[in-house]
Amino acid sequence: MMPSCQGIELWRRAKKVIPGGNQLLSKRPEMFLPDYWPSYFKKAKGVQVWDLDNVQYTDMSLMGVGCCVLGYANQAVNRAVRQAIKLGNMSTLNCYEEVVLAEKLIDLHSWADSVRFARTGGEACALAIRIGRAFSGRDKVAFCGYHGWNDWYLAANLEDPENLREQLLPGLEPIGVPKALKGTSIPFYYGKIRSLEDILKKNEDIGVIMMEVQRTKDIDLEFLRAVQKIARRIGAVLIYDEVTSGFRLRTGGMHVLYDLQPDIVVLGKALGNGYPIAAVIGKKDIMEAAQRTFISSTYWTERVGFAAALAVIDQFENHQVVDRIQVRGEQIRSGLKKIFSSHGLKIEIGGLTCVPTILIQESSPLLVKTIFTQEMLKKGFLASTVIFVSDAHTPQIITRYLETANGVFGKIAACLKSGSLERILEGPVCHSGFMRLN
């Protein structure tokens, strides 16, 4: 079951009128299966997605790039959104849900006192950086992980074009980023506290430290606590970017599980379950620095995101969502480990329990990834090397996925052994990072 022409043809049209083809790198077909990925959806419900030709797929990949932990078109969230729209989603006055959501998020993060809102994770990270710089009075940022597309982050590649390679994406050109920002954002590496200490030896004016709590590697509490200690010692604002990890191991931020106390935490993605909302939560004295700089946007006051987030939190608090997605994530992880072992494949599993990440160690990892996606698509699955587990992934769906994946990886293993893997590739190999498309 390979997609017919409508989605593929529309993508070709899109590249003629939209630079890059769309608004998000992670959704480009070239990141999955160039020339064959269905690209566009007509309908999505639970974990099922229908393309423009009404072909139905089961999503065992990004689930809206990590947004839809409750599944697509969740009934309770949609009900809250419909009510918000019915009452009017925008006005000269503020919507009351903004205050209710702020108070709720503070209840979930006992170390925090204040909240500012945005609509996307990237802009919320930029907002947090602005507040951190405003409070500390220092320009330089040390960071670890992926934090979006904004100037402050891409400025790292002005110093060295490879600076962001190990953070998540290779090949990110800082074209259009003011050269005056060179040296203002400096990367350090997860689990390697010396990489941060080396930065501090050369830069006494680090005012902000931003990092992800966990991504592909197992959580390293000793490292996280060492970073926290350094931030306190040098007076830097410590920001946790939990845009991806939030609402997966804990309602709110996963740092709360480990009694980690940043100065600011950024939440997004799952907070709205597909509706745009992001939050910057922090300590009052630091967050008040937002009053001394200009941070303001009309659509940050729009009602739908707040209504959606309140419904999401209600689902998490009253329906044991976290427990279920951990169990289902472990079902996927253990099942894939058995598959890789039984076929003698050099493939490991990383990431959060509920975001299993397939780490291909074979000599041609992108080729293996592309063929896996290609063959799973034929069987009716949207599949890649990252699986954002949702509450809509039932044990039965996961079992069917694992049975199908076993057959596909068996085929890949046999072709690797015979040296014929490339022969079954039906199109170009997928991209590994940023590449020009047109």
Side-chain angles (χ1 to χ4, degrees):
M1 187 197 322
M2 293 293 273
S4 50
C5 63
Q6 287 197 61
I8 296 168
E9 178 56 33
L10 187 60
W11 179 247
R12 293 191 184 114
R13 287 166 49 193
K15 289 191 286 185
K16 294 177 181 178
V17 295
I18 301 172
N22 69 349
Q23 318 312 312
L24 180 66
L25 175 63
S26 299
K27 284 191 177 183
R28 291 180 182 174
E30 286 76 9
M31 301 297 288
F32 300 91
L33 190 63
D35 296 348
Y36 290 105
W37 193 246
S39 300
Y40 297 93
F41 78 101
K42 182 180 290 185
K43 176 184 174 183
K45 179 67 177 175
V47 295
Q48 304 303 317
V49 179
W50 290 259
D51 72 8
L52 299 187
D53 298 291
N54 291 316
V55 177
Q56 182 178 347
Y57 300 96
T58 300
D59 196 337
M60 294 299 298
S61 60
L62 301 187
M63 286 300 297
V65 196
C67 291
C68 297
V69 179
L70 299 176
Y72 297 129
N74 176 267
Q75 185 175 358
V77 178
N78 280 2
R79 187 185 306 119
V81 168
R82 283 194 295 267
Q83 178 67 6
I85 293 170
K86 180 180 178 181
L87 294 174
N89 70 311
M90 181 60 86
S91 163
T92 297
L93 303 182
N94 299 293
C95 69
Y96 70 88
E97 292 94 340
E98 180 177 6
V99 182
V100 178
L101 180 58
E103 290 174 340
K104 187 63 184 176
L105 288 170
I106 291 168
D107 286 344
L108 292 172
H109 302 86
S110 60
W111 57 270
D113 314 283
S114 300
V115 186
R116 286 293 301 258
F117 293 105
R119 280 295 178 264
T120 74
E123 66 183 7
C125 284
L127 192 158
I129 290 290
R130 172 77 70 81
I131 292 173
R133 282 171 162 166
F135 178 80
S136 69
R138 288 173 257 163
D139 293 342
K140 290 188 179 181
V141 178
F143 68 89
C144 174
Y146 172 71
H147 308 294
W149 64 274
N150 297 84
D151 282 2
W152 79 265
Y153 185 67
L154 285 186
N157 275 3
L158 291 170
E159 186 75 37
D160 182 341
E162 296 297 307
N163 266 343
L164 295 176
R165 172 175 288 276
E166 291 187 41
Q167 303 301 330
L168 182 66
L169 290 172
L172 296 179
E173 295 284 352
I175 297 169
V177 177
K179 293 181 176 58
L181 293 179
K182 182 178 179 179
T184 57
S185 292
I186 310 165
F188 63 103
Y189 303 100
Y190 196 90
K192 300 177 181 178
I193 195 64
R194 181 169 292 181
S195 66
L196 177 58
E197 292 170 342
D198 288 344
I199 290 171
L200 298 178
K201 289 176 183 177
K202 301 174 184 176
N203 301 271
E204 297 180 354
D205 50 349
I206 297 293
V208 182
I209 298 175
M210 176 176 264
M211 64 180 303
E212 292 181 290
V213 178
Q214 183 180 1
R215 198 174 186 97
T216 56
K217 297 181 179 180
D218 290 341
I219 192 166
D220 187 334
L221 290 175
E222 183 179 353
F223 170 69
L224 291 166
R225 289 180 177 127
V227 173
Q228 181 175 294
K229 186 175 180 180
I230 286 172
R232 301 288 183 266
R233 174 169 59 81
I234 67 173
V237 176
L238 177 60
I239 303 171
Y240 285 163
D241 175 355
E242 289 220 45
V243 172
T244 296
S245 61
F247 287 89
R248 299 196 188 277
L249 295 181
R250 170 91 177 203
T251 304
M254 67 175 288
H255 67 277
V256 178
L257 276 175
Y258 305 104
D259 196 29
L260 298 166
Q261 293 194 7
D263 297 307
I264 291 174
V265 67
V266 182
L267 297 177
K269 288 192 184 288
L271 178 60
N273 202 66
Y275 294 98
I277 183 70
V280 178
I281 308 164
K283 297 177 180 177
K284 189 173 184 63
D285 59 336
I286 294 171
M287 293 293 289
E288 283 296 313
Q291 294 283 70
R292 303 197 301 272
T293 183
F294 184 61
I295 301 172
S296 183
S297 185
T298 297
Y299 274 100
W300 288 352
T301 68
E302 194 267 349
R303 189 179 215 163
V304 163
F306 300 119
L310 287 167
V312 167
I313 292 172
D314 178 71
Q315 289 286 296
F316 270 80
E317 288 191 318
N318 296 303
H319 297 281
Q320 294 78 49
V321 175
V322 168
D323 292 342
R324 279 195 299 277
I325 63 174
Q326 300 314 306
V327 170
R328 292 166 189 177
E330 186 52 44
Q331 182 186 355
I332 294 170
R333 291 172 67 91
S334 60
L336 286 174
K337 284 180 180 178
K338 288 178 183 176
I339 290 170
F340 302 147
S341 176
S342 67
H343 294 298
L345 288 165
K346 297 175 184 176
I347 304 178
E348 298 176 357
I349 295 290
L352 300 169
T353 302
C354 53
V355 189
T357 303
I358 298 172
L359 305 171
I360 302 169
Q361 312 291 323
E362 298 287 348
S363 58
S364 302
L366 289 180
L367 177 60
V368 172
K369 175 185 174 183
T370 307
I371 290 175
F372 171 62
T373 300
Q374 169 186 291
E375 297 303 305
M376 292 295 286
L377 192 68
K378 292 177 182 178
K379 304 290 187 181
F381 288 95
L382 301 178
S384 187
T385 50
V386 178
I387 306 163
F388 282 92
V389 181
S390 83
D391 199 30
H393 282 111
T394 65
Q396 294 77 17
I397 288 171
I398 293 169
T399 297
R400 185 164 60 87
Y401 163 78
L402 290 170
E403 289 172 350
T404 307
N406 183 47
V408 170
F409 279 116
K411 182 177 182 178
I412 288 171
C415 289
L416 281 169
K417 189 174 182 180
S418 65
S420 60
L421 185 61
E422 198 163 355
R423 295 178 195 169
I424 65 172
L425 181 67
E426 298 177 15
V429 172
C430 70
H431 296 181
S432 63
F434 181 81
M435 294 177 68
R436 277 194 62 165
L437 300 182
N438 52 357

